[in-house]
Amino acid sequence: MNKLKLGVVVDSTFNLNEVFVKQHDIRVVYLDIMVGADTFRDGELTNDQIYAFVDQNKKVSTSQPAPNRFMIAYQSLLDEGYEHVVCLTVSQSLSGTFNSALLAKDMLEHKELVTVLDTKSAICGAEYLVERLVEKIETEHSIEKVIEGIQKNISDGSLIFTVDDLNILVKSGRLSKIQ
């Protein structure tokens, strides 16, 4: 447990190193990856496997985690003595994960003990933000200062991404052929 007793929850799109997650007692809520009628937990398939499914014209998509997954993560941290929980999610412009995290907060008896933040980012940007959050937890003297600091980091950042092959976005349903 960290000095401020501030718990951290992230979604699996952050792709955090397992050692870092364990070292900082971070709870990771996994998204689902659907391949045809099969469902896999994010991380169970390699990128090569996913690309192979797409090449085989199998429908590949992701699904935001059910709110219950976030609720369990929040409650487990609170039950372990954390005074507050900060949840960072992938950008809500890319996924409904932020909404699931908010719904989960509303399901708690003490929802005031959870702060849910949209990182407005993905992958490397999100990883950077959780690293800054952990750093702030270890150096700041109040939960409010930590949250204020990470909100500033989020607002100062931006999301830019490219794709190697637009066909993957078409096949996954994220982009129409006309677009």
Side-chain angles (χ1 to χ4, degrees):
M1 190 176 299
N2 51 52
K3 181 175 76 171
L4 282 178
K5 296 184 181 177
L6 181 60
V8 177
V9 175
V10 299
D11 65 65
S12 60
T13 64
F14 283 54
N15 201 28
L16 297 175
N17 176 296
E18 208 170 304
V19 173
F20 181 81
V21 168
K22 285 183 181 175
Q23 182 180 5
H24 299 288
D25 197 22
I26 296 170
R27 302 300 152 86
V28 178
V29 177
Y30 290 89
L31 278 73
D32 291 322
I33 298 175
M34 280 81 65
V35 179
D38 297 321
T39 301
F40 301 89
R41 188 176 100 164
D42 187 12
E44 289 181 332
L45 298 174
T46 66
N47 286 343
D48 288 339
Q49 288 172 307
I50 293 169
Y51 292 138
F53 288 132
V54 170
D55 288 342
Q56 296 165 16
N57 289 322
K58 290 188 177 180
K59 174 121 170 88
V60 177
S61 61
T62 59
S63 177
Q64 67 198 46
N68 190 47
R69 292 184 192 173
F70 280 104
M71 189 189 74
I72 291 168
Y74 301 156
Q75 194 60 59
S76 70
L77 287 167
L78 294 171
D79 289 347
E80 290 176 20
Y82 286 92
E83 295 172 2
H84 197 89
V85 175
V86 173
C87 175
L88 300 178
T89 70
V90 64
S91 175
Q92 68 178 325
S93 66
L94 300 174
S95 170
T97 301
F98 175 74
N99 292 330
S100 287
L102 280 179
L103 284 170
K105 173 183 171 175
D106 287 338
M107 295 164 65
L108 293 173
E109 182 179 345
H110 296 287
K111 56 185 161 198
E112 72 279 1
L113 300 178
V114 176
T115 300
V116 180
L117 299 172
D118 172 3
T119 63
K120 299 179 178 26
S121 189
I123 309 171
C124 296
E127 182 179 2
Y128 170 81
L129 289 169
V130 79
E131 288 170 357
R132 296 296 69 77
L133 176 61
V134 166
E135 185 179 283
K136 289 172 191 335
I137 290 169
E138 293 172 353
T139 59
E140 291 292 345
H141 301 292
S142 76
I143 292 170
E144 294 77 20
K145 285 275 190 201
V146 170
I147 293 170
E148 212 174 271
I150 200 65
Q151 286 174 322
K152 179 165 179 16
N153 289 143
I154 290 169
S155 68
D156 288 348
S158 61
L159 174 64
I160 299 172
F161 73 95
T162 63
V163 293
D164 292 331
D165 185 350
L166 290 177
N167 288 317
I168 291 173
L169 293 177
V170 171
K171 289 178 181 179
S172 70
R174 298 267 184 206
L175 193 65
S176 74
K177 286 184 180 183
I178 293 173
Q179 290 171 313

